[in-house]
Amino acid sequence: MKKIILALVAVSSFAPAYALDFTLQKMKASGFSAEAAAVPAPAIAAPVKEETQVPQTLINRFNQAKNDLWRLDSDTTWLRSDIDNLERTARRMTQTNSADAFFQSDLRRMSWDLSRYNDASLRLRNEIRDLLNLAQKDAGLNRTAVDMERDARSLLNRAQFDIENSAQRLEWAVRGAKPELVGYNAQWEAMDISRYSREFTWRLRDLSYDAQNLVSKTRP
């Protein structure tokens, strides 16, 4: 519009009045509109959505839970073999009618270990449930959750199909032995081992289920 006005001024300066009038009449006849000649305003780009920043404290908690779960999986790798050794010792004492001076203390230690693993599984289950309430959709958290779900599934399979069955056989072997051979408290220790193994399976089942939900909740 500014250029048009300048052009008209120039024409008015160097041309007669009738020429300027003729030019204006011609522009009107052609339907010229100053509004039509206006330059359209540029489109405003939509604001870029910023990605949610995952707090470092949450990343650390995910990693800590993963490490604790891996450690529990690693610590229980040979648990079935140790329980089976106790069962064989109990059956050998019954068959040979001879005592083993270390059997009852080994049995007590196994009961204590299973109780400790049971407590660890409970703490981990509670931690993963807390993480479910804090979880965000993030590729890094999701990879950590996938690792946790894998270890939880491995633990559940070991507890359900190996440890629990071995503990039950150990209880039967001790119940069938003479108390004076295996120890007068051995039966109660064996019953505790069997009970702890069942509780271990129950808690790991819950833990595995929660870990699966954690994978879904963190998937981007």
Side-chain angles (χ1 to χ4, degrees), residues 38-127:
V39 178
I44 300 176
V48 179
K49 184 178 180 181
E50 296 183 359
E51 294 185 358
T52 304
Q53 185 68 30
V54 179
Q56 186 61 44
T57 54
L58 183 59
I59 296 174
N60 293 342
R61 286 188 64 176
F62 265 72
N63 289 333
Q64 185 62 52
K66 182 189 75 170
N67 293 338
D68 291 344
L69 194 54
W70 176 87
R71 188 176 298 107
L72 182 60
D73 185 31
S74 178
D75 289 345
T76 57
T77 299
W78 302 105
L79 193 55
R80 173 191 177 182
S81 177
D82 294 339
I83 297 174
D84 288 344
N85 286 337
L86 288 172
E87 180 203 350
R88 283 192 290 269
T89 301
R91 295 191 183 282
R92 187 183 69 248
M93 287 190 293
T94 300
Q95 293 170 358
T96 61
N97 197 31
S98 59
D100 187 316
F102 300 101
F103 178 75
Q104 191 164 351
S105 61
D106 291 342
L107 203 63
R108 189 181 304 110
R109 186 180 302 109
M110 176 58 65
S111 176
W112 184 83
D113 285 342
L114 262 173
S115 175
R116 181 165 53 89
Y117 297 145
N118 220 349
D119 291 342
S121 67
L122 178 59
R123 288 192 300 271
L124 275 169
R125 188 197 68 181
N126 293 338
E127 175 64 11

Side-chain angles (χ1 to χ4, degrees), residues 15-56:
Y18 68 84
L20 178 59
D21 182 66
F22 174 77
T23 302
L24 291 173
Q25 292 295 329
K26 188 174 181 181
M27 291 172 64
K28 290 179 180 179
S30 65
F32 178 82
S33 173
E35 288 78 9
V39 178
I44 300 176
V48 179
K49 184 178 180 181
E50 296 183 359
E51 294 185 358
T52 304
Q53 185 68 30
V54 179
Q56 186 61 44

